[in-house]
Amino acid sequence: MEKLSRRNFIKNTSAGLLSVAILNPIGKLFASNKKEIIPTWNELIDFARWCPTVHNLQPHLVKIVSETEAELYYDPSRLLPVGDSQSIFATVAMGIFVENLTIASGIYNKKIVIHEIQKPINANATTITLFAKLKIEKCDVIEKLSRDLILKRKTSRLHYDGNPISNNTLHKLKSQTEEFDHEFFSTSDLNFIKSIIEMNQQTLFEDLESELIRDELDKLFRYNKEEAETKKDGLWAKCMGFSGSLMKSVFTNHEKWTKGIRKSLLSHNYKNSFKGTSTVCWFGGDFENTDHWLRAGRMFARNWLLLTQENAYLQPFGSLITNENAYKQINEKFTQPTNNKKIWMIFRAGYSNEPSRSFRLSTDEIIIK
């Protein structure tokens, strides 16, 4: 019995070793192929081009250098010399774009790393300018966000349904924010939210008093579908929730809307567009230089997709940050971040019908040949 058992053991062991010897090279081959798959820049850009940018201007351009290297440029004609003179939020948008590239590459266990930043974005530049160098690298962390969320994400300026963002979702946002050393705040106090909406409306009228701001915005608005579809950028009236003719009149015949019943109607319509808002959120973080702005953008990109994952939408209150008087007021009213960090983004979040999608530049238009 003992000899028979030993003989069977040797026989079985030999067979097992033979199987390993035969199959292991194949296993290694498949494992090797999986590790070596590198996404194309075209594929990644085809996703990332749907990311949000300031006023949907899409200043990013990419020059492919090699399979794993690329250069990130900006088009100064797609910047805001008046509304964003230091290109702070254009830089935040660059961070959002790069983080969307990373999320799109996650299924390959890859990430996009900024290796070199040339100079801060200059709103007064006259030619397409190199901003940073990018590289596809291996990522040791499993990507938790599906890249399909990039295609699903939209800004909603519609009426929200009155339901606040759930505590579970707020907790996810807070945790994600802290991973980037930022702080997250939110409120569902309806009286406080009402005061924010009123402040936002007042800020709009104050901004529209500036001829320079009006002229800059007028060039960005797409008052009809044909114009929006042709230019594939800017603020399409349909996505803004107002008729194109009304918006065009406000910008080209501004004096008619500065007093009397027209001003009251415009004010009422604008405030009414925020109906159903039950959650307002804001971020605080280091916000002094290009590195800070890029990091803020990367964080915002992920939080926006987290909301999308929960079938929720957001709408930034950009003017509350960029308008000097409004920013002074929010620093008096809002809970402040610690350690001299700054509030740099305020937005409403909630649930609405599916909003319209803005047009985007094609992948070929973003890639520099």
Side-chain angles (χ1 to χ4, degrees), residues 279-310:
T279 302
V280 169
C281 309
W282 59 100
F283 296 125
D286 293 324
F287 207 68
E288 301 292 340
N289 56 47
T290 296
D291 287 335
H292 291 166
W293 304 330
L294 285 171
R295 187 176 183 81
R298 290 174 55 212
M299 182 274 293
F300 194 21
R302 288 189 169 272
N303 274 293
W304 204 323
L305 294 184
L306 277 175
L307 279 170
T308 303
Q309 186 173 258
E310 302 297 322

Side-chain angles (χ1 to χ4, degrees), residues 51-70:
C51 75
T53 56
V54 182
H55 297 336
N56 193 32
L57 283 175
Q58 309 161 68
H60 42 254
L61 294 167
V62 177
K63 182 177 182 180
I64 300 172
V65 177
S66 71
E67 187 180 44
T68 59
E69 297 174 309

Side-chain angles (χ1 to χ4, degrees), residues 176-338:
Q176 181 67 86
T177 302
E178 289 173 351
E179 287 186 20
F180 288 85
D181 297 323
H182 280 239
E183 296 177 40
F184 173 77
F185 305 89
S186 67
T187 181
S188 291
D189 183 317
L190 294 182
N191 287 328
F192 188 68
I193 290 173
K194 181 180 178 181
S195 71
I196 295 170
I197 292 172
E198 289 176 349
M199 188 193 312
N200 188 61
Q201 181 269 320
Q202 292 166 5
T203 302
L204 170 69
F205 279 99
E206 184 177 326
D207 285 346
L208 290 178
E209 288 299 316
S210 167
E211 184 177 356
L212 290 175
I213 291 178
R214 286 201 313 275
D215 288 346
E216 187 170 73
L217 289 175
D218 182 38
K219 294 174 184 176
L220 306 179
F221 276 110
R222 310 297 175 233
Y223 296 113
N224 56 64
K225 182 179 180 180
E226 181 181 3
E227 187 178 19
E229 195 169 12
T230 300
K231 295 186 176 181
K232 294 186 272 191
D233 64 4
L235 299 168
W236 183 19
K238 185 176 181 179
C239 294
M240 300 299 290
F242 291 93
S243 73
S245 57
L246 171 62
M247 290 178 62
K248 188 171 185 178
S249 178
V250 169
F251 283 95
T252 58
N253 299 293
H254 174 67
E255 65 283 353
K256 294 182 178 180
W257 298 92
T258 58
K259 56 186 177 181
I261 190 170
R262 283 193 177 92
K263 182 176 181 178
S264 297
L265 286 172
L266 182 62
S267 175
H268 173 75
N269 287 341
Y270 185 66
K271 284 196 290 187
N272 187 59
S273 69
F274 294 94
K275 183 179 179 181
T277 302
S278 296
T279 302
V280 169
C281 309
W282 59 100
F283 296 125
D286 293 324
F287 207 68
E288 301 292 340
N289 56 47
T290 296
D291 287 335
H292 291 166
W293 304 330
L294 285 171
R295 187 176 183 81
R298 290 174 55 212
M299 182 274 293
F300 194 21
R302 288 189 169 272
N303 274 293
W304 204 323
L305 294 184
L306 277 175
L307 279 170
T308 303
Q309 186 173 258
E310 302 297 322
N311 295 313
Y313 298 98
L314 70 78
Q315 177 187 356
F317 289 135
S319 296
L320 295 183
I321 302 297
T322 57
N323 180 286
E324 186 176 343
N325 291 333
Y327 192 65
K328 182 179 179 181
Q329 290 183 61
I330 67 169
N331 280 314
E332 293 172 351
K333 293 184 176 183
F334 283 52
T335 302
Q336 296 293 308
T338 59

Side-chain angles (χ1 to χ4, degrees), residues 38-39 41 64-70 112 134-137:
I38 299 174
W41 288 104
I64 300 172
V65 177
S66 71
E67 187 180 44
T68 59
E69 297 174 309
I112 309 303
L134 308 177
K135 191 171 182 180
I136 299 175
E137 294 186 358

